[in-house]
Amino acid sequence: MRLTEAHLALLPARVDNPGANQPDGEQAPPDSYYSATTAALIDAVPSQGEMWLFAFGSLLWNKRFTSDDERPGMVRGWHRDFCLGPDTRFRGNPEAPGYTLSLDRGGQCKGMVYRLPREGLAANIEGLLRKEPPFPPRWLTVATPAGVVRAFAFTHPGKGSAYAGHLADEVVADALSRAVGRIGTMAEYVYLTVLHLERLGLCDDRMWRMQEMIADRIERAFPGKLPAG
């Protein structure tokens, strides 16, 4: 990888921006949303069936859930894209917004499926929902080495002001190389995502190009600042 921890160290670790607002249409839902969505997901699985989650982005390296089995998988009809944003709070700010990953329609996407244990299932799912964008999860068909499974995933509905699909790679890289918010930088987000995709053998050519483009922009913003070699 061209993007390294040395690149990340040149950027601010975080920027507090308590005045930044959520994008229109991304207002926090009421508590009833989480309990109702959790119940709907559980009800959609037969009593002796298995509950699977498809992960494709930060859930690969920041597991905000518990699981008892995992395997690589691919979904068709959806692709990984920086289509969620602009983020002006978590990994971006009003002067330098970020864009995070979601699943947008078209193409295909390699990721991991995780089986959620039956014990504590409702609390496991609701805790995850409270940490994800407030879009109802969608059931997807995932092909895995052990057969096809039905898994829920956090896809983007493709509308509203929190939708940033179809941006050119150059525009995305420009933004992600500068974006930093209250929990860190977008450069770190990309670094950790690509690192884990590679470790898991989930090749994504666009993500690989994106980390190279971000590294190039950081190097140009901080000439001579990276250690030699």
Side-chain angles (χ1 to χ4, degrees):
M1 287 178 59
R2 181 171 172 187
L3 184 62
T4 67
E5 292 183 357
H7 290 85
L8 306 184
L10 296 174
L11 304 172
R14 62 187 53 84
V15 169
D16 292 325
N17 44 54
N21 296 319
Q22 291 176 307
D24 293 340
E26 199 189 338
Q27 302 302 320
D31 277 351
S32 58
Y33 162 82
Y34 300 106
S35 57
T37 304
T38 297
L41 288 170
I42 294 175
D43 288 346
V45 177
S47 59
Q48 300 303 313
E50 297 176 326
M51 177 72 75
W52 292 90
L53 164 69
F54 180 71
F56 55 87
S58 64
L59 289 180
L60 297 173
W61 49 267
N62 184 17
K63 285 183 65 177
R64 301 182 286 277
F65 58 93
T66 58
S67 62
D68 58 13
D69 192 11
E70 63 184 65
R71 62 188 69 156
M74 175 185 287
V75 297
R76 299 189 185 277
W78 297 86
H79 66 281
R80 183 188 289 107
D81 191 21
F82 290 96
C83 61
L84 179 59
D87 172 15
T88 59
R89 296 180 300 150
F90 301 114
R91 290 186 181 270
N93 62 74
E95 287 72 39
Y99 299 91
T100 50
L101 290 168
S102 188
L103 287 181
D104 203 357
R105 288 190 178 276
Q108 61 186 33
C109 179
K110 296 178 182 177
M112 294 290 292
V113 286
Y114 297 94
R115 187 175 66 191
L116 308 187
R118 277 288 168 180
E119 183 176 355
L121 181 59
N124 198 11
I125 293 174
E126 183 166 335
L128 176 60
L129 290 173
R130 289 181 178 274
K131 297 179 180 72
E132 291 295 310
F135 306 131
R138 180 184 296 271
W139 289 101
L140 302 177
T141 299
V142 187
T144 82
V148 172
V149 301
R150 187 167 175 257
F152 73 91
F154 294 97
T155 67
H156 201 295
K159 58 184 178 180
S161 61
Y163 179 64
H166 311 296
L167 294 176
D169 284 356
E170 290 76 13
V171 173
V172 175
D174 286 346
L176 302 191
S177 63
R178 300 186 301 112
V180 53
R182 64 179 65 171
I183 69 170
T185 66
M186 278 304 312
E188 179 190 42
Y189 176 98
V190 173
Y191 170 77
L192 290 171
T193 301
V194 175
L195 183 67
H196 283 74
L197 287 172
E198 291 299 306
R199 287 177 176 174
L200 292 166
L202 305 173
C203 177
D204 185 311
D205 291 342
R206 188 189 181 208
M207 291 295 295
W208 188 259
R209 291 195 304 274
M210 189 58 62
Q211 62 88 20
E212 291 180 329
M213 294 170 72
I214 291 171
D216 176 70
R217 282 155 172 76
I218 293 175
E219 291 166 12
R220 285 192 273 123
F222 298 92
K225 297 296 185 179
L226 285 174

